[in-house]
Amino acid sequence: MKTSNMSENEEPIVPTLEFDQVSVRSSVEMEGVLTDLTFDLAPGAMLILRPESESHSTEIPALAAGLQDPDSGTVKYQGLAWPEVGPLRQCQLRFGIRRVFHGEGWVSNLSTAENVVLSELHHTSRASKEVEEEAETLAREFGLDGLPSTNPAWVEPSILQRCEWVRAFIGAPALIFLEVPMRGVSRKYQDSLISRATSTAASVVWLTSRASLIDAVSGDGVDLIKLS
Amino acid sequence: MTYVERIGAYTLLQLEQVRYFGNVIGAVILLACQPRFWPRTVRNILARQILFTGIEAAGFILLLAALVGISLIQQAHVWLGALGRDVMVALVSGVLINQIGPILVNFVIIGRSGTAITTELANMRVRGEVDVLDAQGFDPLAYLVLPRVVGMMVSTFCLSVLFIVGALVIGYLAGFVTGTSTMPPDMFVASVLSGVTLLDFVGLAAKTMIPSLVTGTLCCVYGLGVGRSITEIPQAVTRAVVASIVMLFVVITILTVVLGIYENV
């Protein structure tokens, strides 16, 4: 399955993410396996990966970020196969990949607000105030009254999940994985997420089996792959 | 496998671990020397580590310094007749700077901060927080290990200086109050300084910062080395403390011998 990979003047565009015959036969932590998964994701393109259920976690984001090696097949991010990239460059590349995590996605010795801006402050030289203001703006866009200054353990799940949205979209990511992004969140916030996901310059991968969300996101140029 | 083969296999395993820890320590030193590995987030952790390991422990260290200082002055009073006043003060200050200060403060740091670091990092590993950081492009060595180890090194040195000065000052005041010491303050300071050489200050820096570099790295490595089970955390802490204490004495002994040889040369 291919998303757009040629520009208007027919110059080849390096896909943001390429999975070529990727298989993972066994996994200790994840449910299920992947078999011969193939797709290209062009810059700015959108893809829906539909697992069997919302609780069905997948290795795809970890494979995409080079945190896990496939049993067979090749994963390329921005044209680079992870094994060919040195450790420091891998860290820099991973900064461009954002995730709304399927499971726990927080560092417990930092406040929620600190967690949200942590990556941006670590990898860029943007002024702290500028980053915090952008985070606050995104938070309001997603219906939050700012970012909680308390530990993530003390934040209500619905708010925490939307804080993950803020973290995913802050700065200039190249690839965003939205893993079950609506879990625990009222449907009234769905449109704000879709609106932000469709307007971002980053490539977006939705991992969801929620029919209403898939219907809302699906459209021209948006591919859907069903994960067995 | 024969008994001899088992001893050989065990020895090789230990040597492999020493090599691994040596590599991590070398990597920490290399990273610490490069400004690009000190972004504001890492500096923030360094500041927090110094606050926890250094500043928050200052009161406890001063209490220990007072108790050790008073004990030393009372003991010194016993030696006074045999050694003479100036020699005795110089000897006491030398022992404080070269042995008691660095060893005691390193012990406190291992017990107070080393265990905390191992527990914190092991908890982060078990809860998957290290993976979360990994996924965001954080290098665990640069983000988690480097600031904690450097924080421990800085704190150990500063607390050792505080301990030594505190023990001498409080010991002197206690001796003055109890009447065991009638030496004027200026003469006391002069006696202390007469027993201290530049090599003692170099030795103090080495005996505080090198052991804490080793023990800090050990505590971080043991913490990050746990798997997914919460029951591994206390085991990791125990292993980290035991290894840190052993390495503390190994490093202090080596440094004492090396500095002693250098002084004699």
Side-chain angles (χ1 to χ4, degrees):
Chain A
M1 189 169 289
K2 304 271 182 186
T3 59
S4 171
N5 62 356
M6 299 291 279
S7 67
E8 286 177 3
N9 55 3
E10 295 299 311
E11 283 179 8
I13 294 173
V14 177
T16 307
L17 185 64
E18 294 169 78
F19 270 53
D20 184 18
Q21 299 283 306
V22 172
S23 296
V24 179
R25 293 183 191 91
S26 62
S27 174
V28 177
E29 293 174 12
M30 302 296 172
E31 305 149 37
V33 294
L34 292 176
T35 308
D36 294 338
L37 182 63
T38 299
F39 65 84
D40 286 359
L41 187 63
M46 201 179 274
L47 172 69
I48 302 169
L49 297 174
R50 183 177 191 170
E52 282 178 354
S53 73
E54 293 275 89
S55 63
H56 193 121
S57 54
T58 169
E59 303 91 338
I60 293 170
L63 288 163
L67 296 169
Q68 185 182 337
D69 294 326
D71 290 325
S72 64
T74 314
V75 177
K76 285 185 179 177
Y77 171 66
Q78 294 186 334
L80 299 167
W82 287 105
E84 296 164 6
V85 182
L88 285 177
R89 181 81 181 116
Q90 282 191 3
C91 289
Q92 289 165 351
L93 288 172
R94 277 187 202 117
F95 166 58
I97 303 173
R98 306 295 170 81
R99 288 170 69 175
V100 169
F101 288 86
H102 184 277
E104 287 292 315
W106 302 97
V107 177
S108 58
N109 58 12
L110 298 173
S111 75
T112 310
E114 286 173 326
N115 264 284
V116 168
V117 298
L118 181 70
S119 183
E120 198 69 11
L121 294 181
H122 184 80
H123 292 284
T124 73
S125 55
R126 291 175 68 193
S128 305
K129 194 171 171 57
E130 183 191 324
V131 175
E132 285 159 10
E133 279 173 1
E134 188 192 352
E136 291 290 331
T137 305
L138 279 166
R140 280 192 293 277
E141 190 178 316
F142 295 135
L144 294 166
D145 300 326
L147 293 168
S149 56
T150 50
N151 188 287
W154 301 106
V155 179
E156 199 251 309
S158 152
I159 295 173
L160 203 55
Q161 184 76 347
R162 281 179 285 153
C163 290
E164 284 214 48
W165 299 359
V166 176
R167 183 173 60 185
F169 287 100
I170 202 166
L175 174 63
I176 300 172
F177 275 94
L178 301 171
E179 301 173 54
V180 198
M182 291 303 296
R183 186 177 48 191
V185 180
S186 167
R187 199 172 162 178
K188 66 181 178 183
Y189 299 113
Q190 183 173 296
D191 288 346
S192 62
L193 177 63
I194 294 170
S195 167
R196 172 53 66 169
T198 49
S199 64
T200 181
S203 307
V204 178
V205 179
W206 297 79
L207 277 139
T208 183
S209 58
R210 189 175 289 210
S212 63
L213 185 58
I214 292 170
D215 290 343
V217 174
S218 298
D220 288 343
V222 180
D223 290 316
L224 189 149
I225 299 174
K226 194 171 180 182
L227 301 172
S228 54
Chain B
M1 191 182 275
T2 66
Y3 191 67
V4 175
E5 283 174 332
R6 278 186 203 164
I7 293 174
Y10 178 78
T11 307
L12 287 175
L13 182 70
Q14 296 303 311
L15 286 174
E16 179 59 29
Q17 281 199 340
V18 169
R19 191 186 68 83
Y20 174 70
F21 284 125
N23 285 346
V24 177
I25 289 169
V28 168
I29 294 170
L30 272 177
L31 296 187
C33 297
Q34 298 177 65
R36 68 186 167 126
F37 289 106
W38 289 101
R40 56 198 145 177
T41 47
V42 177
R43 295 198 302 269
N44 198 6
I45 297 181
L46 173 69
R48 288 183 196 198
Q49 192 63 48
I50 290 173
L51 175 70
F52 171 70
T53 306
I55 295 170
E56 287 183 6
F60 180 58
I61 289 293
L62 270 179
L63 175 67
L64 283 183
L67 297 172
V68 169
I70 292 167
S71 303
L72 270 180
I73 289 298
Q74 294 306 317
Q75 187 61 46
H77 185 63
V78 177
W79 298 335
L80 190 61
L83 297 173
R85 196 167 56 184
D86 285 350
V87 175
M88 182 269 295
V89 172
L91 184 67
V92 167
S93 56
V95 168
L96 261 178
I97 292 169
N98 286 314
Q99 297 298 335
I100 298 176
I103 290 176
L104 204 61
V105 171
N106 267 299
F107 253 115
V108 171
I109 296 282
I110 290 168
R112 193 177 175 278
S113 301
T115 52
I117 285 173
T118 308
T119 308
E120 182 190 21
L121 295 182
N123 266 308
M124 288 180 76
R125 173 63 86 186
V126 169
R127 285 198 294 252
E129 292 175 16
V130 177
D131 295 338
V132 169
L133 288 168
D134 229 352
Q136 295 180 80
F138 288 84
D139 175 3
L141 187 69
Y143 182 71
L144 296 173
V145 178
L146 174 66
R148 283 171 174 79
V149 172
V150 174
M152 270 182 81
M153 291 169 70
V154 172
S155 300
T156 308
F157 176 73
C158 294
L159 286 176
S160 294
V161 172
L162 181 72
F163 175 85
I164 291 160
V165 173
L168 288 171
V169 171
I170 296 169
Y172 171 77
L173 290 175
F176 208 77
V177 169
T178 57
T180 50
S181 169
T182 53
M183 191 184 274
D186 56 337
M187 195 182 288
F188 177 75
V189 172
S191 297
V192 167
L193 292 177
S194 71
V196 181
T197 63
L198 181 64
L199 194 65
D200 287 323
F201 288 109
V202 174
L204 175 65
K207 285 177 181 177
T208 52
M209 296 179 88
I210 296 175
S212 54
L213 166 69
V214 176
T215 57
T217 307
L218 281 170
C219 291
C220 289
V221 168
Y222 276 111
L224 291 171
V226 300
R228 289 292 186 199
S229 170
I230 201 162
T231 56
E232 292 180 54
I233 297 174
Q235 294 168 4
V237 173
T238 305
R239 279 198 294 269
V241 169
V242 170
S244 295
I245 291 172
V246 170
M247 286 310 296
L248 167 64
F249 279 100
V250 168
V251 173
I252 291 273
T253 304
I254 291 170
L255 287 171
T256 303
V257 170
V258 170
L259 289 168
I261 291 169
Y262 183 80
E263 197 168 17
N264 291 330
V265 171

